[in-house]
Amino acid sequence: MSHPAVPFRDALRFWLKLGLLSFGGPAGQIALMHRELVDNKRWISEQRFLHALNYCMLLPGPEAQQLATYLGWLMHRTRGGVVAGVLFVLPSLLILIALSWLYMVFGQLPLVAGAFAGIKAAVLAIVLQAAWRIGSRTLKHPLLWGIAAAALLALALFALPFPAIVLLAGMAGWLGARRWPQVFAGGKGHAASGAPDDSQALINDHTPPPPHATYSHGKLLRLILSGALLWGLPMLLAVSLAGSQHTLPQMGWFFTKAALLTFGGAYAVLPYVYQGAVTHFGWLSPGQMMDGLALGETTPGPLIMVVAFVAFVGGYGAPLFGAGSASISGIVAASWVTWYTFLPSFLFILAGAPLVEHTRGKLGFTAPLTAITAAVVGVIVNLALFFGRHLLWPHGLAAGIDWFAALLAAASLWALVKGGRGVIPVIAACAGIGLLRALLA
């Protein structure tokens, strides 16, 4: 028995609208999907929506984009999942490519630089707010506070690689759950209130799973092989044409690893991206990294799309085609990195959903995630320390603090946490203040 079909044309229009309007980070994007799909369109019930969301929260990768892929897959098989996931990302990619080009061409003009100086203060406040928000939701026990502090010290004092922190935190959660199961049980996801009658939804609590949602070894094997080919063939072509040390293969491999480590959202993986893109490979500078994060905050789509900016700047700064166009190199690099960043997310949903659904609610599966999320708080605080050092003491500690940046960052943090202002208004206000300062200088 199959559920009543949602017209594919209607779903296509919705996914395109979502991709163009999905501002506000994952919380805002999930809220928009919930309001439209559960409350307004009645395509899916509250519990089925939360069931899908809880699964996506257990995976590495951008949970809002994965949720869109999951719901598209549930309604319209593989083509529905691919369309929903691609349309969630594509508008953001095109906008970021255009903004990245404008940044590289005009970013050194005094007025543009002044606007970005103001935006950087907002970015520091946004990162601090992210640490506060995730910490207040996650750190419910001294053991979890200890894991967060250990992650901060491991990064700040010992420069431990981010993958090692994820692995150690996951092991701590798995072991800790055997002694203190109530500490690592985790939450139930994003609950919602005021939901309509679930029985009126096209896919409700009593609707059996559609035939394509059944698990089979053969289906899983075919999807794994397809994913391996989609990952390996472009990489093999790039390596054969340019060698394994070329920028494109390095970016593809690095951002594949980043995609597999994005537990806890984009802010959690940004330190890893910084370690590789800024410190190890030198694709961009610390200041450019902050500017890219600001651009990512002002565009629709998942915040992890900041990787497109990182890749564009890296390709633009070292053209991929010798004497060829720097702009074309940037576009190719941004598109290439987006492919390798989001391909694992599609595979997790299309290949893993029927299998992982059986593990929902099992402590052995959720406890490592709880510990990793606690470690993420420490990781984000370390990211804030890094941004703060470069923003507030741009010329070193001996040169003194930049009081303009400090006061603007403090005001931005107050507006976000106490004033209830949104990210985009705060960034716009800081850009305006920075622009005004540059005009008066």
Side-chain angles (χ1 to χ4, degrees):
M1 178 179 178
S2 62
H3 56 71
V6 176
F8 183 74
R9 183 171 57 184
D10 293 349
L12 182 64
R13 282 198 295 265
F14 171 75
W15 298 126
L16 179 58
K17 173 185 174 183
L18 180 68
L20 292 170
L21 299 177
S22 56
F23 295 93
Q29 294 155 1
I30 291 167
L32 176 60
M33 277 188 276
H34 182 274
R35 184 174 68 246
E36 290 294 320
L37 298 180
V38 177
D39 295 339
N40 296 341
K41 298 182 181 296
R42 307 285 185 90
W43 285 355
I44 189 168
S45 70
E46 172 84 5
Q47 290 304 313
R48 293 294 285 266
F49 182 92
L50 293 178
H51 173 79
L53 177 57
N54 286 339
Y55 167 35
C56 295
M57 289 177 67
L58 297 176
L59 298 173
E63 62 186 31
Q65 186 265 347
Q66 289 174 328
L67 178 61
T69 305
Y70 187 107
L71 297 176
W73 165 82
L74 186 63
M75 292 187 289
H76 295 109
R77 308 174 65 91
T78 299
R79 70 164 181 163
V82 171
V83 165
V86 168
L87 290 180
F88 195 90
V89 171
L90 186 59
S92 178
L93 173 63
L94 298 177
I95 293 171
L96 269 175
I97 285 176
L99 291 177
S100 300
W101 180 82
L102 290 171
Y103 174 83
M104 294 303 294
V105 175
F106 301 108
Q108 300 306 313
L109 295 178
L111 292 182
V112 177
F116 271 102
I119 289 173
K120 288 175 183 178
V123 168
L124 176 59
I126 290 167
V127 175
L128 287 170
Q129 184 206 25
W132 175 83
R133 187 177 63 245
I134 297 175
S136 63
R137 189 177 68 236
T138 303
L139 305 181
K140 303 294 187 180
H141 190 276
L143 282 174
L144 299 178
W145 277 97
I147 291 174
L152 171 60
L153 293 175
L155 277 170
L157 298 183
F158 304 106
L160 197 67
F162 182 68
I165 291 175
V166 170
L167 178 62
L168 292 173
M171 292 175 60
W174 183 77
L175 293 172
R178 308 179 77 173
R179 178 63 178 84
W180 303 282
Q182 72 282 359
V183 174
F184 296 92
K188 294 295 183 184
H190 299 267
S193 60
D197 182 7
D198 281 349
S199 65
Q200 301 299 316
L202 287 178
I203 306 175
N204 58 51
D205 298 349
H206 305 292
T207 304
H212 66 269
T214 57
Y215 170 77
S216 73
H217 293 302
K219 184 187 300 184
L220 178 62
L221 181 60
R222 287 193 298 272
L223 284 166
I224 291 175
L225 291 176
S226 299
L229 290 174
L230 290 171
W231 187 94
L233 289 179
M235 185 70 73
L236 183 63
L237 179 62
V239 170
S240 64
L241 292 176
S244 61
Q245 299 305 308
H246 190 264
T247 303
L248 281 184
Q250 288 181 337
M251 284 184 171
W253 176 238
F254 174 75
F255 283 104
T256 297
K257 292 188 291 183
L260 296 174
L261 293 168
T262 317
F263 289 96
Y267 285 112
V269 81
L270 283 176
Y272 179 65
V273 173
Y274 163 75
Q275 284 181 344
V278 177
T279 303
H280 183 70
F281 292 107
W283 293 326
L284 74 172
S285 69
Q288 288 174 327
M289 184 74 183
M290 291 187 70
D291 294 338
L293 182 56
L295 290 177
E297 289 279 8
T298 57
T299 56
L303 180 58
I304 193 61
M305 280 303 299
V306 69
V307 301
F309 174 86
V310 171
F312 187 97
V313 174
Y316 193 97
L320 306 176
F321 309 111
S325 168
S327 298
I328 293 177
S329 297
I331 293 171
V332 170
S335 303
W336 175 269
V337 162
T338 301
W339 172 265
Y340 280 102
T341 298
F342 286 93
L343 179 62
S345 291
F346 284 98
L347 295 177
F348 281 136
I349 298 299
L350 299 178
L355 180 63
V356 179
E357 281 181 345
H358 295 290
T359 68
R360 187 170 66 92
K362 293 186 177 180
L363 184 61
F365 195 79
T366 59
L369 180 68
T370 300
I372 290 171
T373 307
V376 159
V377 178
V379 170
I380 296 174
V381 171
N382 181 73
L383 179 67
L385 293 175
F386 160 73
F387 280 163
R389 178 166 55 86
H390 286 278
L391 175 69
L392 304 180
W393 292 275
H395 306 295
L397 295 176
I401 190 172
D402 184 338
W403 285 108
F404 170 79
L407 292 173
L408 190 55
S412 300
L413 185 61
W414 183 91
L416 289 167
V417 176
K418 296 296 185 181
R421 298 294 187 266
V423 166
I424 293 177
V426 170
I427 288 179
C430 288
I433 293 171
L435 183 61
L436 180 62
R437 187 191 188 209
L439 285 171
L440 297 176

